[in-house]
Structures are given as structure tokens and as C-alpha cells.
Amino acid sequence: MIKVVLADDQALLRGTLRYLLSRESGMEVVGEAADGGEAVAVAVETAADLVIMDIRMPGMDGLEATRKLKESMPSCKVLILTTFELDEYVFEALRAGASGFLGKGVEPVELLAAIRTVAAGESLLSPAATKALIVRFRETPAAPWLEGRERLAELTPREREVLSLVAGGLSNDGISLRLHLSPHTVKTHINRTMSKLGVSDRAQLVVIAYETGLVRPGER
């Protein structure tokens, strides 16, 4: 059972999402919040597995709430659901620890699939969010390669290879097929890479891969 908290300042949207999730087996809405601070408190109180988080909310916004939630509950996943799929929002959301980023125009079946994907430990970006992230790194000077090499120095060649494929959007199964490794081995490489780089979420690996120059926009 995936325990979900709904964080959005629009009561009608929260009600719609609650109804949608209540009809889906394996999902349970355990709480609601109208602002970021409340979202963090409710998620901690209910030991939620995942928070569907809006960005623009009164008081504490969704980005700051994501940061605080990941500090308090690293295991809790955050799926951003917003009207604004802007490059700065996508970038900051991933850096804050969000695992997924979708626009509110998404189809219900896509949202349900995204919840399962993120809850399972994968990252997920909408096509618009992916494009926004690529634009961000195309327009921003890349970090010096020397700095990138220093940051990635602790990774083995295989771990760097796996990291580049994660940044390319491949799932664990996809990486397994590409590299002819077992899914368990791929997961081990990813967990070790996250540990060495000091992050707790797969989506943050994508940001690091771009920031360090390991992956360039447009490369696969």
C-alpha cells in the first residue's frame, strides 16, 4: 500500500485527487495539506511514502517543503504536480530531492503510473519538464570539467557508466539490458553511487551528471 499525502492550496484539486486515488488498489490518501509547512508535518505524522506536492502555495512553497521533508524523512518520495513546468522550477525541485515532476494537465492514468514509478524508487519527468531541464543546462555554462572530475573521482568506471545512463532516463531494467547486468547489480551500483555523492534520491543523480559534465544536453 502506497501512503500518499496531497499538498495543494486548492481544495477542489485535493478532493479530485483523493477520489481518483481512492478508486485505485494499492494506494491510500493518508492526509492533506494546503501549504508547504503543513505538508511536511502531515507527511511526518502519517509516515507517508509519497507526497504529491504543488509548488506555489501560501507560506512555505513546495520547493522549500520538499527540502525540509527530505531532511526529516529521506525515504519519503516527492512528486511535484504543478501548472508551471519552468526550467528553474524543474532544476530546483530535483536539487531539493523531488523524484518526479508533472504538469497538472497530465492524464489520470499517467498520474497513477507516475505515483507507482516514483514510489518504487525511480525518477520521472514529464516531456515538458525534461525539455526545460535540458534548456537550463544548454543556456548555463557547464561546471569546469576539473571540478566535475573531482566530484566523481570516488566513482568506479562502471558506476560512472551507470550514472550516465540514469541521467539518460533509463530505468534499472533498461540499464540492466544495456550493460548486460542483473537488475540487482544495477541497483547496487546506483545505491553506492548515491552514497558516494551524498544524495538520497535518483533524480538528484541526474542533476549531478549534468552539473559535472558527465552528460551533455542532447546526449544519450
Side-chain angles (χ1 to χ4, degrees):
M1 183 67 67
I2 303 172
K3 297 187 293 183
V4 181
V5 168
L6 308 174
D8 195 291
D9 61 339
Q10 298 181 28
L12 179 59
L13 179 59
R14 296 199 309 273
T16 301
L17 291 175
R18 176 181 281 275
Y19 176 75
L20 175 66
L21 269 61
S22 70
R23 298 171 61 85
E24 188 71 9
S25 63
M27 297 183 189
E28 177 187 8
V29 175
V30 295
E32 297 183 19
D35 62 68
E38 186 180 6
V40 175
V42 172
V44 171
E45 180 182 353
T46 60
D49 298 309
L50 182 146
V51 177
I52 298 179
M53 185 88 73
D54 190 18
I55 288 181
R56 293 190 178 181
M57 293 184 287
M60 183 187 297
D61 66 20
L63 297 177
E64 182 61 23
T66 298
R67 293 188 191 94
K68 290 188 176 300
L69 178 59
K70 296 302 289 186
E71 289 172 1
S72 302
M73 287 182 65
S75 63
C76 184
K77 307 299 182 182
V78 176
L79 173 60
I80 299 291
L81 184 65
T82 180
T83 306
F84 307 97
E85 295 178 83
L86 306 177
D87 59 347
E88 63 267 29
Y89 285 159
V90 178
F91 180 72
E92 291 301 328
L94 295 181
R95 292 195 72 176
S99 297
F101 198 107
L102 294 176
K104 287 184 177 177
V106 67
E107 293 293 328
V109 65
E110 294 176 292
L111 176 60
L112 294 173
I115 292 172
R116 295 191 185 282
T117 297
V118 170
E122 301 283 349
S123 55
L124 185 145
L125 298 176
S126 68
T130 300
K131 181 179 179 180
L133 187 63
I134 291 173
V135 168
R136 163 84 181 212
F137 282 100
R138 278 181 175 162
E139 296 179 349
T140 303
W145 180 237
L146 177 60
E147 178 183 338
R149 283 191 304 177
E150 291 174 351
R151 191 165 191 187
L152 301 178
E154 292 188 27
L155 302 184
T156 66
R158 178 64 87 185
E159 287 167 349
R160 286 195 292 272
E161 187 176 21
V162 170
L163 173 58
S164 68
L165 294 176
V166 169
L170 270 66
S171 65
N172 285 10
D173 288 342
I175 296 172
S176 175
L177 290 172
R178 177 75 65 87
L179 300 182
H180 305 290
L181 300 172
S182 71
H184 175 74
T185 299
V186 170
K187 185 176 181 179
T188 297
H189 283 311
I190 291 174
N191 288 340
R192 287 177 178 169
T193 299
M194 288 194 291
S195 177
K196 290 179 179 180
L197 296 177
V199 301
S200 60
D201 192 276
R202 186 188 185 97
Q204 291 174 302
L205 292 179
V206 177
V207 174
I208 290 176
Y210 278 104
E211 282 186 324
T212 59
L214 180 65
V215 173
R216 304 285 183 179
E219 291 182 345
R220 300 298 295 178

